[in-house]
Amino acid sequence: MASCFIQTSDFEFPLADIEKTAARDGLLSMEIEFSLRCNYRCPYCYVPRNPDVSQELSRSEIKDVIRQAHALGARKIIILGGEPSIYPHLIAMIDFIRGQGMAVEIFTNGSGITPALADALAGRSVRVVLKMNSFDEATQDRLTGVKGSYRQIRESLNRLRQAGYPSEDRFLAVSTVICRENRGDILTMWQWLRDRGIAPYFEIITPQANAADHPELNVPPEELERLFYAIARLDRERYGLVWEPQPPLVGNKCLRHRFSCLVTARGDVLPCVGVTLAVGNIRETPLADILRTSEVIRNLKRHRETIKGPCRECERAAECYGCRGAAFQMTGDYLASDPLCWKNSHTAN
């Protein structure tokens, strides 16, 4: 997701392409869950602790919706989970996506990144986003719910680097969820990643699923503001990268509702992982028809006219709609102002 002034990481698309895609009800990327199976128990995860894995999409169904996304203009498929490395057909599906002429991005907890898998991902130029929340072993293990996960993640990072990550065609990022447990590590981690050419993808917790059961992890908006501005100052002074802080992503902005969607492991189409409103199911309706006819999708694409409360009047409204997931999970209204934005934290929606 591109920064406000200059590109500080490589997650989003040019604004002109986004606008054209939104106008034609197309896609530039699609997120997809191959399966919800996972070997970690992260207390902040949007996937329920004991997910129902019955009725998950077959390989042929996954291939069919990927073809549909490609026909809608998608340039990239983002593989989520569960943990993708557990999925037994991962490499075959990556080869299928690459064969369609699209890039592949994978979010992984690293537990399954063997030397062979690291080489396989590198050989296919797969964009890897490794989940890591702390440099402290005890904290990292608590935030995955699995003892030994800290060592697994560090080993996976080393294996990816040995396979040639990061490089021009082997994009590597680290995904971090900002919470009370790791807030003291954030600046150190950000600088460590920047110094090694690894893109930091740091975000605020969306209070849903497991995170809703762990409110003690939440960081108040005022503290988030101070942290975001501290990172912005670090980026400006040390790396010459200038961006305007805004939630929910550090150094980035989210415009995904104008060009992307999520297909769950059971075929439901959601605006994103946070806005858990199924607008259709690919087993019943073609993806193009779902995106074209959904009132929810249409309202999100027209956010400047439809968004409510302080977010509507904000001076940043042209390029920011806050976190729609946080708005939906905390208010029940996906068009409400973002309650976790420090600009709105003392203002009623």
Side-chain angles (χ1 to χ4, degrees):
M1 291 137 193
S3 71
C4 302
F5 298 128
I6 61 176
Q7 186 152 331
T8 60
S9 64
D10 185 23
F11 283 97
E12 199 148 301
F13 301 93
L15 184 58
D17 293 358
I18 293 173
E19 296 298 333
K20 291 177 183 176
T21 300
R24 63 176 175 79
D25 294 320
L27 294 174
L28 288 174
S29 68
M30 182 180 74
E31 298 173 328
I32 188 167
E33 301 167 346
F34 288 169
S35 174
L36 291 182
R37 291 175 173 84
C38 189
N39 54 345
Y40 281 5
R41 295 293 179 265
C42 303
Y44 58 82
C45 187
Y46 72 90
V47 176
R49 181 60 54 89
N50 296 300
D52 180 3
V53 296
S54 66
Q55 305 299 314
E56 291 193 332
L57 296 174
S58 66
R59 292 171 66 186
S60 61
E61 288 174 318
I62 293 172
K63 288 181 177 181
D64 182 61
V65 75
I66 288 170
R67 290 190 192 97
Q68 293 182 55
H70 182 251
L72 287 166
R75 303 175 190 172
K76 179 173 68 175
I77 300 297
I78 304 167
I79 304 171
L80 306 177
E83 170 48 37
S85 65
I86 293 175
Y87 185 69
H89 312 295
L90 177 63
I91 294 301
M93 297 307 298
I94 288 172
D95 285 341
F96 175 78
I97 297 167
R98 297 294 283 144
Q100 299 291 308
M102 292 183 287
V104 179
E105 187 169 285
I106 181 172
F107 279 69
T108 174
N109 63 30
S111 62
I113 303 291
T114 62
L117 181 55
D119 287 339
L121 297 174
R124 292 160 173 83
S125 298
V126 174
R127 297 162 53 91
V128 177
V129 185
L130 181 66
K131 298 176 184 177
M132 181 171 64
N133 291 306
S134 179
F135 282 167
D136 178 77
E137 182 169 0
T139 300
Q140 179 61 66
D141 286 358
R142 283 196 302 272
L143 289 174
T144 59
V146 174
K147 190 172 180 59
S149 64
Y150 172 85
R151 292 190 298 274
Q152 284 184 324
I153 292 168
R154 296 307 290 253
E155 288 172 1
S156 297
L157 182 58
N158 288 333
R159 288 166 182 165
L160 289 165
R161 295 175 73 180
Q162 290 167 6
Y165 287 91
S167 65
E168 185 175 353
D169 64 343
R170 293 169 182 173
F171 176 81
L172 178 62
V174 161
S175 172
T176 297
V177 172
I178 300 169
C179 64
R180 286 185 179 271
E181 291 267 4
N182 68 358
R183 55 188 168 175
D185 289 345
I186 295 300
L187 276 171
T188 301
M189 289 181 64
W190 188 277
Q191 181 173 323
W192 190 90
L193 295 168
R194 281 276 196 244
D195 287 346
R196 287 157 180 78
I198 302 171
Y201 185 85
F202 289 19
E203 61 183 321
I204 298 171
I205 288 177
T206 302
Q208 66 185 103
N210 295 320
D213 295 329
H214 293 278
E216 72 279 2
L217 293 176
N218 296 336
V219 179
E222 296 80 5
E223 188 172 342
L224 289 170
E225 179 182 17
R226 291 192 294 271
L227 182 57
F228 273 54
Y229 274 89
I231 299 172
R233 184 168 57 253
L234 172 67
D235 253 0
R236 182 177 65 253
E237 295 176 355
R238 186 177 179 91
Y239 305 104
L241 299 174
V242 180
W243 44 270
E244 182 70 22
Q246 64 182 55
L249 303 167
V250 183
N252 295 282
K253 59 184 176 182
C254 171
L255 291 174
R256 71 183 65 180
H257 294 298
R258 298 184 61 77
F259 64 83
S260 189
C261 68
L262 165 69
V263 176
T264 73
R266 301 186 73 174
D268 287 330
V269 178
L270 309 182
C272 69
V273 297
V275 182
T276 49
L277 284 172
V279 298
N281 189 289
I282 58 105
R283 284 171 165 157
E284 302 167 358
T285 309
L287 183 59
D289 291 345
I290 293 173
L291 299 180
R292 178 175 50 82
T293 61
S294 167
E295 181 181 7
V296 173
I297 297 294
R298 185 165 60 251
N299 285 340
L300 287 167
K301 286 183 177 179
R302 296 172 49 247
H303 64 91
R304 291 198 68 182
E305 292 78 38
T306 58
I307 206 165
K308 303 172 184 177
C311 275
R312 184 183 183 92
E313 306 301 327
C314 180
E315 71 275 9
R316 304 290 310 287
E319 57 188 13
C320 177
Y321 45 57
C323 179
R324 296 298 88 217
F328 179 70
Q329 297 298 330
M330 297 178 73
T331 73
D333 184 352
Y334 65 93
L335 295 173
S337 288
D338 180 358
L340 296 181
C341 177
W342 47 84
K343 289 177 176 287
N344 302 331
S345 59
H346 301 296
T347 308
N349 288 324

